């Protein structure tokens, strides 16, 4: 099992060198390169040149940190063809950067527009037809997660789409913070992991509240029919996810993939947050 840290707590006020050093100081051997403005940002073309790639490799080597995966988020499932083409172009550059870093894994979200699911699915498949040969040529694996407001929000639908792609190097990311979207508000984490089975490769650890609780009035939105989604990335134990069941099921499955601290609610006290979450992960998974 690889225990990784998502350094989103540090993305706005810490440069890349200091971020990697912080990951090591917090007790991690692996870092998940999530979006940040000075590297690969949401929906944008990567702001990375050969020198930055060289520097990042040196930062990691000096700190004793390895990159577990590179995480771009692009609108590769957009029903808008111009946006989809831009996302594919950005993805090609992201894959090239990942290869140059010597990293063999990327993870991402389905994206798209949940109000136009069929069009988004068609756009996603079209994008994958363009990108699959590039992933294979570079020897880079891919892990995918459904996400609130994506064209795929349910865990089982993400699994079905991954199986439809039918590549043994494409697996599932399970984000605990999305548990109440994965099954329309039940949050049955054990069932989600059972559904994933052999596709489960990556688990993101963070807690959240059930947005459907209190008769659907946990969060009162005005106007009531506004098309919004809401969730949190809290320390384990601060929300309503059953972490005892989650950890027990992962132990039963003898999960041996990547587990990432994905809490980023506390940029004002990130070290405290890490202490709480890292303790939970280590005790829960006996590592």
């Amino acid at each position: 099992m690889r225990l990784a840290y998502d350094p989103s707590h540090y993305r706005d006020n810490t440069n890349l060198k200091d971020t990697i050093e912080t990951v090591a100081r917090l007790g991690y051997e692996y870092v998940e390169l999530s979006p940040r403005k000075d590297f690969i940002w949401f929906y944008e073309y990567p702001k990375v040149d050969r020198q930055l790639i060289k520097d990042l490799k040196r930062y990691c080597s000096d700190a004793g940190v390895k990159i577990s995966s590179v995480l771009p988020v692009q609108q590769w499932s957009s029903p808008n063809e111009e946006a989809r083409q831009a996302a594919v172009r950005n993805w090609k550059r992201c894959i090239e950067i990942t290869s140059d870093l010597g990293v063999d894994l990327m993870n991402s979200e389905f994206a798209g527009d949940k109000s136009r699911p069929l069009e988004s699915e068609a756009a996603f498949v079209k994008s994958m037809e363009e990108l699959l040969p590039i992933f294979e040529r570079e020897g880079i694996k891919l892990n995918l997660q459904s996400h609130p407001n994506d064209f795929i929000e349910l865990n089982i639908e993400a699994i079905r789409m991954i199986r439809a792609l039918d590549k043994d190097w494409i697996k599932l990311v399970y984000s605990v913070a999305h548990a109440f979207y994965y099954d329309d508000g039940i949050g049955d984490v054990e069932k989600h992991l059972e559904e994933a089975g052999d596709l489960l490769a990556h688990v993101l650890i963070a807690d959240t509240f059930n947005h459907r609780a209190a008769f659907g009035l946990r969060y009162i939105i005005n106007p009531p029919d506004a098309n919004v989604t809401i969730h949190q990335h809290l320390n384990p134990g601060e929300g309503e996810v059953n972490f005892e069941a989650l950890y027990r099921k992962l132990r039963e499955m003898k999960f041996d993939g990547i587990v990432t601290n994905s809490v980023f609610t506390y940029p004002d006290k990130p070290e405290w947050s890490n202490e709480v979450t890292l303790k939970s992960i280590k005790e829960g998974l006996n590592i």
Side-chain angles (χ1 to χ4, degrees), residues 239-252:
E240 294 172 312
V241 171
N242 187 342
F243 272 89
E244 181 181 350
L246 176 87
Y247 290 141
R248 181 177 63 248
K249 189 63 179 179
L250 288 170
R251 293 195 307 268
E252 288 175 0

Side-chain angles (χ1 to χ4, degrees), residues 180 207-211 218-219 231-232 234 238-240:
F180 295 107
D207 208 343
T208 192
F209 290 106
N210 183 356
H211 60 288
R218 166 60 63 77
Y219 304 100
H231 70 285
Q232 299 80 30
L234 304 167
E238 294 181 341
E240 294 172 312

Side-chain angles (χ1 to χ4, degrees), residues 160-176:
R160 288 168 179 161
M161 179 55 70
I162 291 171
R163 293 201 184 280
L165 295 172
D166 201 19
K167 299 290 184 181
D168 59 9
W169 48 269
I170 302 179
K171 303 290 186 180
L172 180 77
V173 178
Y174 181 79
S175 179
V176 182

Side-chain angles (χ1 to χ4, degrees), residues 58-266:
R58 187 178 74 254
Y59 302 154
C60 289
S61 177
D62 290 347
V65 170
K66 301 172 186 176
I67 300 171
S68 59
S69 58
V70 175
L71 167 55
V73 178
Q74 299 286 341
Q75 269 294 2
W76 54 356
S77 304
S78 174
N80 179 294
E81 179 60 13
E82 184 176 356
R84 189 201 68 81
Q85 289 180 15
V88 169
R89 182 166 58 247
N90 296 351
W91 257 104
K92 289 177 180 178
R93 178 59 180 145
C94 291
I95 295 171
E96 184 178 36
I97 291 165
T98 302
S99 179
D100 288 345
L101 285 169
V103 178
D104 67 353
L105 178 64
M106 303 179 77
N107 61 302
S108 191
E109 303 165 5
F110 283 99
D113 183 345
K114 74 174 183 178
S115 68
R116 301 167 68 183
L118 292 180
E119 294 167 271
S120 295
E121 178 181 294
F124 174 72
V125 172
K126 185 175 182 180
S127 295
M128 292 305 289
E129 286 174 346
E130 296 181 51
L131 293 171
L132 288 176
I134 303 175
F135 278 107
E136 292 180 328
R137 184 187 70 213
E138 299 296 337
I140 294 175
K141 301 183 292 293
L142 177 65
N143 293 337
L144 292 170
Q145 63 163 305
S146 48
H147 194 283
N149 207 46
D150 282 5
F151 84 92
I152 293 178
E153 290 186 318
L154 298 180
N155 185 63
I156 190 62
E157 292 299 329
I159 291 164
R160 288 168 179 161
M161 179 55 70
I162 291 171
R163 293 201 184 280
L165 295 172
D166 201 19
K167 299 290 184 181
D168 59 9
W169 48 269
I170 302 179
K171 303 290 186 180
L172 180 77
V173 178
Y174 181 79
S175 179
V176 182
H178 306 158
F180 295 107
Y181 284 92
Y182 284 166
D183 54 15
D184 288 327
I186 300 170
D188 189 342
V189 293
E190 290 183 281
K191 181 181 178 183
H192 300 164
L193 297 179
E194 288 175 358
E195 289 173 343
D198 63 326
L199 287 181
L200 183 66
H202 195 160
V203 179
L204 308 181
I205 300 293
D207 208 343
T208 192
F209 290 106
N210 183 356
H211 60 288
R212 293 180 179 269
F215 314 105
L217 298 175
R218 166 60 63 77
Y219 304 100
I220 300 174
I221 305 296
N222 290 305
D225 60 349
N227 183 19
V228 299
T229 58
I230 185 169
H231 70 285
Q232 299 80 30
H233 280 247
L234 304 167
N235 296 323
E238 294 181 341
E240 294 172 312
V241 171
N242 187 342
F243 272 89
E244 181 181 350
L246 176 87
Y247 290 141
R248 181 177 63 248
K249 189 63 179 179
L250 288 170
R251 293 195 307 268
E252 288 175 0
M253 294 174 70
K254 295 181 171 57
F255 178 72
D256 195 33
I258 301 171
V259 175
T260 299
N261 176 345
S262 186
V263 178
F264 40 78
T265 304
Y266 303 103

